[in-house]
Amino acid sequence: ETGVTQTPRHLVMGMTNKKSLKCEQHLGHNAMYWYKQSAKKPLELMFVYNFKEQTENNSVPSRFSPECPNSSHLFLHLHTLQPEDSALYLCASSPRDAGVDQETQYFGPGTRLLVL
Amino acid sequence: KQEVTQIPAALSVPEGENLVLNCSFTDSAIYNLQWFRQDPGKGLTSLLLIQSSQREQTSGRLNASLDKSSGRSTLYIAASQPGDSATYLCAVRRGFQKLVFGTGTRLLVSP
């Protein structure tokens, strides 16, 4: 266990549905991340939050809407997704005050999403 | 744009063999390189982190090397075991909170 939990672990949704992914970290970290892992593609960084503020949006379509109510929780709200959005969505956290050469991200187990 | 490539994409070996996984990156301006292990349903686990000024790191049966000037890293696994079966990911750090991942090598070690 890395101290980062994600729910649900599996999700099937239609293109007109609205759903949310949840991530919680128990490590006292101040930075949280959403990544997307599609089949045969590298992990892609989607969003970064530092101290609850979004500091990076890697050109993610607006049908993905993140929310970070506090440093321990991160959500990804999903709306009118496309089949090509089917992927493994990974959450990660890290201590914000680590130097760039010492920073380590801790990953959750991911949510496997299938969009029909 | 930094690109990270891992070869081979998949590898199957009998138990006990020593093996090498390869990672190459296009831009040598990195802070460090990290090897992760990904197990189905368990997310990513960090195995080794090599600073840009270092040449190698060792942990148990794992040894990772880094040649920053040529844009290459290798992960050496000694005396492989079935429990080593997983996908191994290489990631380079190009800035604070900016990891660039490779596509991974899927390893299967047979008893």
Side-chain angles (χ1 to χ4, degrees):
Chain A
E1 291 295 330
T2 62
V4 181
T5 58
Q6 291 187 241
T7 55
R9 299 292 303 276
H10 301 272
L11 179 62
V12 179
M13 60 186 290
M15 289 189 285
T16 58
N17 291 158
K18 289 184 181 180
K19 297 286 185 183
S20 296
L21 310 185
K22 178 183 176 182
C23 174
E24 183 173 359
Q25 57 96 0
H26 310 274
L27 301 169
H29 293 164
N30 293 309
M32 297 189 77
Y33 312 73
W34 279 117
Y35 285 88
K36 176 183 179 181
Q37 187 177 32
S38 304
K40 299 185 179 180
K41 289 188 177 180
L43 267 79
E44 303 171 58
L45 179 65
M46 300 175 72
F47 302 101
V48 181
Y49 277 80
N50 285 286
F51 297 99
K52 303 185 299 179
E53 298 297 321
Q54 185 182 119
T55 53
E56 179 130 2
N57 177 338
N58 198 20
S59 302
V60 180
S62 59
R63 58 186 183 268
F64 295 90
S65 175
E67 178 189 3
C68 189
N70 55 61
S71 292
S72 299
H73 294 86
L74 184 65
F75 296 88
L76 188 63
H77 304 301
L78 314 173
H79 178 48
T80 59
L81 294 191
Q82 304 299 311
E84 58 264 29
D85 296 322
S86 299
L88 180 68
Y89 289 85
L90 291 162
C91 173
S93 71
S94 68
R96 178 63 179 82
D97 55 356
V100 64
D101 57 343
Q102 294 297 328
E103 179 213 334
T104 298
Q105 296 178 19
Y106 294 79
F107 286 81
T111 295
R112 176 74 61 185
L113 174 66
L114 177 61
V115 182
L116 300 177
Chain B
K1 178 186 174 185
Q2 177 74 272
E3 292 185 359
V4 180
T5 303
Q6 291 188 245
I7 296 173
L11 182 62
S12 182
V13 300
E15 182 177 6
E17 274 203 9
N18 302 323
L19 55 99
V20 175
L21 308 182
N22 296 291
C23 171
S24 61
F25 47 95
T26 55
D27 186 347
S28 61
I30 64 172
Y31 287 92
N32 57 44
L33 183 145
Q34 202 163 359
W35 283 93
F36 291 88
R37 169 181 173 143
Q38 185 174 24
D39 295 278
K42 291 187 179 180
L44 275 67
T45 303
S46 178
L47 297 173
L48 291 165
L49 186 151
I50 313 177
Q51 301 296 349
S52 61
S53 58
Q54 297 176 319
R55 296 297 290 251
E56 65 178 321
Q57 280 287 333
T58 298
S59 176
R61 295 183 293 107
L62 304 180
N63 176 276
S65 68
L66 175 62
D67 184 343
K68 200 173 75 161
S69 61
S70 66
R72 294 179 184 176
S73 176
T74 61
L75 178 66
Y76 176 82
I77 303 178
S80 58
Q81 303 172 357
D84 295 330
S85 299
T87 296
Y88 290 81
L89 299 174
C90 165
V92 298
R93 181 171 304 285
R94 62 180 181 90
F96 189 66
Q97 297 181 329
K98 295 186 188 303
L99 285 174
V100 180
F101 284 85
T103 50
T105 294
R106 190 170 67 254
L107 173 65
L108 177 63
V109 181
S110 305

